[in-house]
Amino acid sequence: MKQLLLFRHAQSEANVTGSLHCTVPGPPLTSNGREQAAALADRLAGTDIAAVWASGMTRAQQTAEPIARSHGLSVTVHPDLREGFVGDLHDRRDDEAHELFDEMSVTWFLDGDLDFRRPGGESGREIVDRLGGALDEVVAGLADGQTAVVVSHAAALRLTVPQRCPGISPLRALRHHLPNTGLVEVEVTAGDWFCRTWDGVKPV
């Protein structure tokens, strides 16, 4: 059995402003976000961690760095762990943009239409294939019994994990938003994924 601790990054400047910012490198963490990242490192101090991974986005790397440092590790950056690109909604902060983003999420999560995309953006299927492939690389780098920390992004994680873990329905993922530093615990045994907890709650 191998274990993945999948975290959403800490609070970023985009979170505070409500920006749908999704390009690399993107905005950094806020001062509160840096405190959240430090607290997360403290929380994991007693956990045996073999590897720390993050997306190429600044907010993910700044969240991962205190964890890696406290375990004497370096952060491995994988570009495919980044957030999904929302095309014409990128960096918008208005109510209409957020409503359109929510409609796209419903199309992906509830209608199951992963081929849908905003103009110029990624489809749900492209996000799942990209992030899923990166997570497969993380798992392949672990020996049996080892644990890896992965710092990624809310929408990409919520969309991808239910495609791998039978115990998590897309509806549950849609309803249970991952907060900053929210955690999804996953066990992988012989290629089979099992979600132990979703933001501290065991799947029903």
Side-chain angles (χ1 to χ4, degrees):
M1 185 270 289
K2 304 176 182 182
Q3 182 173 230
L4 299 179
L5 302 180
L6 308 176
F7 288 97
R8 183 191 178 191
H9 59 82
Q11 185 190 70
S12 72
E13 291 180 356
N15 295 147
V16 172
T17 62
S19 168
L20 295 172
H21 196 292
C22 54
T23 58
V24 177
L29 298 182
T30 62
S31 58
N32 182 50
R34 291 191 292 273
E35 291 176 1
Q36 290 175 341
L40 183 57
D42 290 343
R43 172 180 159 194
L44 295 174
T47 303
D48 188 8
I49 295 172
V52 179
W53 294 67
S55 79
M57 306 186 88
T58 300
R59 54 191 182 268
Q61 293 178 47
Q62 288 180 333
T63 303
E65 283 163 0
I67 302 169
R69 187 166 55 249
S70 69
H71 286 82
L73 300 169
S74 58
V75 177
T76 301
V77 175
H78 197 305
D80 287 344
L81 293 171
R82 69 187 182 277
E83 184 61 286
F85 183 59
V86 295
D88 63 343
L89 303 183
H90 168 64
D91 204 24
R92 285 180 57 179
R93 309 167 190 207
D94 54 285
D95 290 343
E96 180 189 32
H98 283 272
E99 289 173 3
L100 290 170
F101 179 85
D102 290 344
E103 289 176 7
M104 178 171 65
S105 297
V106 168
T107 301
W108 287 342
F109 286 82
L110 298 189
D111 298 342
D113 183 5
L114 293 180
D115 292 320
F116 182 82
R117 71 181 75 226
R118 292 294 308 172
E122 287 184 287
S123 71
R125 192 173 310 280
E126 287 170 338
I127 295 170
V128 168
D129 290 347
R130 168 172 59 75
L131 184 62
L135 293 176
D136 286 339
E137 290 184 38
V138 176
V139 171
L142 293 174
D144 195 45
Q146 289 186 325
T147 297
V149 166
V150 178
V151 182
S152 187
H153 304 268
L157 286 173
R158 290 166 67 212
L159 187 61
T160 302
V161 172
Q163 303 298 319
R164 296 297 186 92
C165 292
I168 295 290
S169 70
L171 175 59
R172 181 181 179 84
L174 180 64
R175 285 178 170 173
H176 293 81
H177 185 68
L178 283 176
N180 293 118
T181 70
L183 166 64
V184 178
E185 293 182 90
V186 172
E187 294 178 355
V188 182
T189 303
D192 293 328
W193 285 44
F194 171 71
C195 182
R196 290 181 58 198
T197 64
W198 182 280
D199 194 31
V201 178
K202 291 184 179 181
V204 178

